[in-house]
Amino acid sequence: MGKAVAYLVALLAGVVVVGWVVSSLIGPFLFYLIVGAIAVGGGLYVYGKLKKSIAPGTRTQRRIEAAAKTYRMRNQ
């Protein structure tokens, strides 16, 4: 557990240092524009994966529908 935390802290520190160096080299506006584009792209990727995973006919969707049916029957 201690090693995992140490690696996580080291990774976070590395990201901060690399971000600071890149930001100072290419300018703050362009840096934040690139970071924003990466964040939006990542969000769209996660949204697409999530939407696909709960599409009609998938196991997750059937479980959600079964839970909703059980909830409705219990609260009648």
Side-chain angles (χ1 to χ4, degrees):
M1 180 68 181
K3 275 189 171 183
V5 172
Y7 284 128
L8 184 63
V9 169
L11 179 66
L12 188 59
V15 168
V16 169
V17 169
V18 169
W20 179 72
V21 170
V22 171
S23 173
S24 66
L25 291 176
I26 64 173
F29 177 73
L30 188 58
F31 174 72
Y32 286 115
L33 187 66
I34 292 169
V35 169
I38 290 171
V40 169
L44 288 174
Y45 174 77
V46 169
Y47 174 75
K49 286 286 190 181
L50 183 65
K51 188 174 179 184
K52 185 185 251 186
S53 73
I54 59 172
T58 61
R59 180 175 184 264
T60 306
Q61 181 63 33
R62 290 193 307 268
R63 289 181 64 206
I64 291 170
E65 289 169 358
K69 183 178 178 183
T70 303
Y71 182 77
R72 282 192 306 269
M73 288 174 62
R74 187 178 58 178
N75 292 327
Q76 282 183 353

PDB file of all heavy atoms in Angstrom, residues 10-30:
ATOM      1  N   ALA A  10       4.624  10.255  -6.801  1.00  0.00           N
ATOM      2  CA  ALA A  10       5.693  10.512  -7.764  1.00  0.00           C
ATOM      3  C   ALA A  10       5.135  10.795  -9.144  1.00  0.00           C
ATOM      4  O   ALA A  10       5.601  11.705  -9.845  1.00  0.00           O
ATOM      5  CB  ALA A  10       6.644   9.323  -7.808  1.00  0.00           C
ATOM      6  N   LEU A  11       4.111  10.051  -9.534  1.00  0.00           N
ATOM      7  CA  LEU A  11       3.477  10.285 -10.833  1.00  0.00           C
ATOM      8  C   LEU A  11       2.831  11.655 -10.891  1.00  0.00           C
ATOM      9  O   LEU A  11       2.985  12.395 -11.872  1.00  0.00           O
ATOM     10  CB  LEU A  11       2.432   9.196 -11.102  1.00  0.00           C
ATOM     11  CG  LEU A  11       1.663   9.323 -12.419  1.00  0.00           C
ATOM     12  CD1 LEU A  11       2.596   9.121 -13.591  1.00  0.00           C
ATOM     13  CD2 LEU A  11       0.532   8.315 -12.446  1.00  0.00           C
ATOM     14  N   LEU A  12       2.131  12.013  -9.831  1.00  0.00           N
ATOM     15  CA  LEU A  12       1.490  13.323  -9.769  1.00  0.00           C
ATOM     16  C   LEU A  12       2.525  14.443  -9.814  1.00  0.00           C
ATOM     17  O   LEU A  12       2.354  15.438 -10.526  1.00  0.00           O
ATOM     18  CB  LEU A  12       0.639  13.425  -8.504  1.00  0.00           C
ATOM     19  CG  LEU A  12      -0.253  14.652  -8.372  1.00  0.00           C
ATOM     20  CD1 LEU A  12      -1.227  14.717  -9.523  1.00  0.00           C
ATOM     21  CD2 LEU A  12      -0.983  14.611  -7.055  1.00  0.00           C
ATOM     22  N   ALA A  13       3.614  14.279  -9.068  1.00  0.00           N
ATOM     23  CA  ALA A  13       4.679  15.283  -9.079  1.00  0.00           C
ATOM     24  C   ALA A  13       5.306  15.381 -10.464  1.00  0.00           C
ATOM     25  O   ALA A  13       5.592  16.486 -10.951  1.00  0.00           O
ATOM     26  CB  ALA A  13       5.727  14.934  -8.035  1.00  0.00           C
ATOM     27  N   GLY A  14       5.493  14.264 -11.124  1.00  0.00           N
ATOM     28  CA  GLY A  14       6.036  14.263 -12.481  1.00  0.00           C
ATOM     29  C   GLY A  14       5.136  14.987 -13.457  1.00  0.00           C
ATOM     30  O   GLY A  14       5.599  15.765 -14.292  1.00  0.00           O
ATOM     31  N   VAL A  15       3.836  14.748 -13.350  1.00  0.00           N
ATOM     32  CA  VAL A  15       2.881  15.432 -14.226  1.00  0.00           C
ATOM     33  C   VAL A  15       2.912  16.934 -13.987  1.00  0.00           C
ATOM     34  O   VAL A  15       2.896  17.730 -14.934  1.00  0.00           O
ATOM     35  CB  VAL A  15       1.456  14.865 -14.016  1.00  0.00           C
ATOM     36  CG1 VAL A  15       0.412  15.742 -14.673  1.00  0.00           C
ATOM     37  CG2 VAL A  15       1.378  13.442 -14.536  1.00  0.00           C
ATOM     38  N   VAL A  16       2.983  17.341 -12.731  1.00  0.00           N
ATOM     39  CA  VAL A  16       3.031  18.770 -12.409  1.00  0.00           C
ATOM     40  C   VAL A  16       4.308  19.401 -12.962  1.00  0.00           C
ATOM     41  O   VAL A  16       4.262  20.468 -13.582  1.00  0.00           O
ATOM     42  CB  VAL A  16       2.911  18.987 -10.884  1.00  0.00           C
ATOM     43  CG1 VAL A  16       3.238  20.423 -10.516  1.00  0.00           C
ATOM     44  CG2 VAL A  16       1.520  18.610 -10.406  1.00  0.00           C
ATOM     45  N   VAL A  17       5.442  18.743 -12.774  1.00  0.00           N
ATOM     46  CA  VAL A  17       6.713  19.293 -13.254  1.00  0.00           C
ATOM     47  C   VAL A  17       6.741  19.367 -14.779  1.00  0.00           C
ATOM     48  O   VAL A  17       7.111  20.398 -15.358  1.00  0.00           O
ATOM     49  CB  VAL A  17       7.899  18.462 -12.709  1.00  0.00           C
ATOM     50  CG1 VAL A  17       9.196  18.843 -13.400  1.00  0.00           C
ATOM     51  CG2 VAL A  17       8.019  18.637 -11.211  1.00  0.00           C
ATOM     52  N   VAL A  18       6.329  18.303 -15.433  1.00  0.00           N
ATOM     53  CA  VAL A  18       6.300  18.305 -16.897  1.00  0.00           C
ATOM     54  C   VAL A  18       5.323  19.362 -17.399  1.00  0.00           C
ATOM     55  O   VAL A  18       5.622  20.102 -18.347  1.00  0.00           O
ATOM     56  CB  VAL A  18       5.944  16.905 -17.437  1.00  0.00           C
ATOM     57  CG1 VAL A  18       5.641  16.949 -18.923  1.00  0.00           C
ATOM     58  CG2 VAL A  18       7.072  15.936 -17.157  1.00  0.00           C
ATOM     59  N   GLY A  19       4.174  19.466 -16.764  1.00  0.00           N
ATOM     60  CA  GLY A  19       3.210  20.498 -17.160  1.00  0.00           C
ATOM     61  C   GLY A  19       3.764  21.892 -16.990  1.00  0.00           C
ATOM     62  O   GLY A  19       3.569  22.761 -17.843  1.00  0.00           O
ATOM     63  N   TRP A  20       4.476  22.121 -15.906  1.00  0.00           N
ATOM     64  CA  TRP A  20       5.068  23.432 -15.665  1.00  0.00           C
ATOM     65  C   TRP A  20       6.126  23.765 -16.714  1.00  0.00           C
ATOM     66  O   TRP A  20       6.165  24.871 -17.251  1.00  0.00           O
ATOM     67  CB  TRP A  20       5.669  23.473 -14.263  1.00  0.00           C
ATOM     68  CG  TRP A  20       6.327  24.763 -13.930  1.00  0.00           C
ATOM     69  CD1 TRP A  20       5.721  25.951 -13.681  1.00  0.00           C
ATOM     70  CD2 TRP A  20       7.735  24.992 -13.851  1.00  0.00           C
ATOM     71  NE1 TRP A  20       6.669  26.907 -13.437  1.00  0.00           N
ATOM     72  CE2 TRP A  20       7.908  26.344 -13.528  1.00  0.00           C
ATOM     73  CE3 TRP A  20       8.844  24.186 -13.997  1.00  0.00           C
ATOM     74  CZ2 TRP A  20       9.165  26.902 -13.365  1.00  0.00           C
ATOM     75  CZ3 TRP A  20      10.088  24.733 -13.831  1.00  0.00           C
ATOM     76  CH2 TRP A  20      10.238  26.083 -13.516  1.00  0.00           C
ATOM     77  N   VAL A  21       6.967  22.782 -17.044  1.00  0.00           N
ATOM     78  CA  VAL A  21       8.018  23.005 -18.043  1.00  0.00           C
ATOM     79  C   VAL A  21       7.409  23.255 -19.415  1.00  0.00           C
ATOM     80  O   VAL A  21       7.795  24.201 -20.119  1.00  0.00           O
ATOM     81  CB  VAL A  21       8.992  21.804 -18.076  1.00  0.00           C
ATOM     82  CG1 VAL A  21       9.931  21.893 -19.269  1.00  0.00           C
ATOM     83  CG2 VAL A  21       9.774  21.718 -16.786  1.00  0.00           C
ATOM     84  N   VAL A  22       6.452  22.434 -19.804  1.00  0.00           N
ATOM     85  CA  VAL A  22       5.810  22.610 -21.112  1.00  0.00           C
ATOM     86  C   VAL A  22       5.081  23.940 -21.163  1.00  0.00           C
ATOM     87  O   VAL A  22       5.134  24.663 -22.171  1.00  0.00           O
ATOM     88  CB  VAL A  22       4.860  21.432 -21.418  1.00  0.00           C
ATOM     89  CG1 VAL A  22       4.034  21.690 -22.651  1.00  0.00           C
ATOM     90  CG2 VAL A  22       5.652  20.143 -21.577  1.00  0.00           C
ATOM     91  N   SER A  23       4.404  24.298 -20.089  1.00  0.00           N
ATOM     92  CA  SER A  23       3.684  25.566 -20.042  1.00  0.00           C
ATOM     93  C   SER A  23       4.636  26.743 -20.207  1.00  0.00           C
ATOM     94  O   SER A  23       4.330  27.711 -20.905  1.00  0.00           O
ATOM     95  CB  SER A  23       2.931  25.691 -18.719  1.00  0.00           C
ATOM     96  OG  SER A  23       2.358  26.962 -18.595  1.00  0.00           O
ATOM     97  N   SER A  24       5.794  26.681 -19.574  1.00  0.00           N
ATOM     98  CA  SER A  24       6.742  27.787 -19.687  1.00  0.00           C
ATOM     99  C   SER A  24       7.360  27.855 -21.075  1.00  0.00           C
ATOM    100  O   SER A  24       7.768  28.920 -21.525  1.00  0.00           O
ATOM    101  CB  SER A  24       7.828  27.665 -18.622  1.00  0.00           C
ATOM    102  OG  SER A  24       8.607  26.514 -18.870  1.00  0.00           O
ATOM    103  N   LEU A  25       7.437  26.725 -21.781  1.00  0.00           N
ATOM    104  CA  LEU A  25       8.034  26.710 -23.115  1.00  0.00           C
ATOM    105  C   LEU A  25       7.070  27.191 -24.198  1.00  0.00           C
ATOM    106  O   LEU A  25       7.471  27.936 -25.087  1.00  0.00           O
ATOM    107  CB  LEU A  25       8.528  25.304 -23.464  1.00  0.00           C
ATOM    108  CG  LEU A  25       9.738  24.805 -22.680  1.00  0.00           C
ATOM    109  CD1 LEU A  25      10.042  23.366 -23.060  1.00  0.00           C
ATOM    110  CD2 LEU A  25      10.944  25.685 -22.929  1.00  0.00           C
ATOM    111  N   ILE A  26       5.822  26.750 -24.157  1.00  0.00           N
ATOM    112  CA  ILE A  26       4.905  27.080 -25.254  1.00  0.00           C
ATOM    113  C   ILE A  26       3.920  28.178 -24.906  1.00  0.00           C
ATOM    114  O   ILE A  26       3.116  28.563 -25.748  1.00  0.00           O
ATOM    115  CB  ILE A  26       4.128  25.833 -25.734  1.00  0.00           C
ATOM    116  CG1 ILE A  26       3.213  25.289 -24.650  1.00  0.00           C
ATOM    117  CG2 ILE A  26       5.063  24.773 -26.237  1.00  0.00           C
ATOM    118  CD1 ILE A  26       2.310  24.176 -25.103  1.00  0.00           C
ATOM    119  N   GLY A  27       3.960  28.676 -23.714  1.00  0.00           N
ATOM    120  CA  GLY A  27       3.066  29.764 -23.340  1.00  0.00           C
ATOM    121  C   GLY A  27       1.811  29.253 -22.676  1.00  0.00           C
ATOM    122  O   GLY A  27       1.288  28.205 -23.046  1.00  0.00           O
ATOM    123  N   PRO A  28       1.331  30.003 -21.711  1.00  0.00           N
ATOM    124  CA  PRO A  28       0.181  29.549 -20.921  1.00  0.00           C
ATOM    125  C   PRO A  28      -1.100  29.364 -21.734  1.00  0.00           C
ATOM    126  O   PRO A  28      -1.825  28.396 -21.544  1.00  0.00           O
ATOM    127  CB  PRO A  28      -0.006  30.645 -19.880  1.00  0.00           C
ATOM    128  CG  PRO A  28       1.241  31.434 -19.897  1.00  0.00           C
ATOM    129  CD  PRO A  28       1.885  31.229 -21.214  1.00  0.00           C
ATOM    130  N   PHE A  29      -1.388  30.277 -22.655  1.00  0.00           N
ATOM    131  CA  PHE A  29      -2.651  30.185 -23.397  1.00  0.00           C
ATOM    132  C   PHE A  29      -2.703  28.917 -24.228  1.00  0.00           C
ATOM    133  O   PHE A  29      -3.680  28.156 -24.181  1.00  0.00           O
ATOM    134  CB  PHE A  29      -2.835  31.410 -24.295  1.00  0.00           C
ATOM    135  CG  PHE A  29      -4.083  31.339 -25.124  1.00  0.00           C
ATOM    136  CD1 PHE A  29      -5.324  31.521 -24.539  1.00  0.00           C
ATOM    137  CD2 PHE A  29      -4.016  31.055 -26.476  1.00  0.00           C
ATOM    138  CE1 PHE A  29      -6.480  31.436 -25.301  1.00  0.00           C
ATOM    139  CE2 PHE A  29      -5.163  30.977 -27.240  1.00  0.00           C
ATOM    140  CZ  PHE A  29      -6.391  31.159 -26.650  1.00  0.00           C
ATOM    141  N   LEU A  30      -1.643  28.660 -24.982  1.00  0.00           N
ATOM    142  CA  LEU A  30      -1.607  27.471 -25.825  1.00  0.00           C
ATOM    143  C   LEU A  30      -1.606  26.197 -24.979  1.00  0.00           C
ATOM    144  O   LEU A  30      -2.253  25.209 -25.324  1.00  0.00           O
ATOM    145  CB  LEU A  30      -0.368  27.509 -26.731  1.00  0.00           C
ATOM    146  CG  LEU A  30      -0.278  26.443 -27.803  1.00  0.00           C
ATOM    147  CD1 LEU A  30      -1.495  26.507 -28.722  1.00  0.00           C
ATOM    148  CD2 LEU A  30       0.991  26.622 -28.617  1.00  0.00           C
TER     149      LEU A  30
END
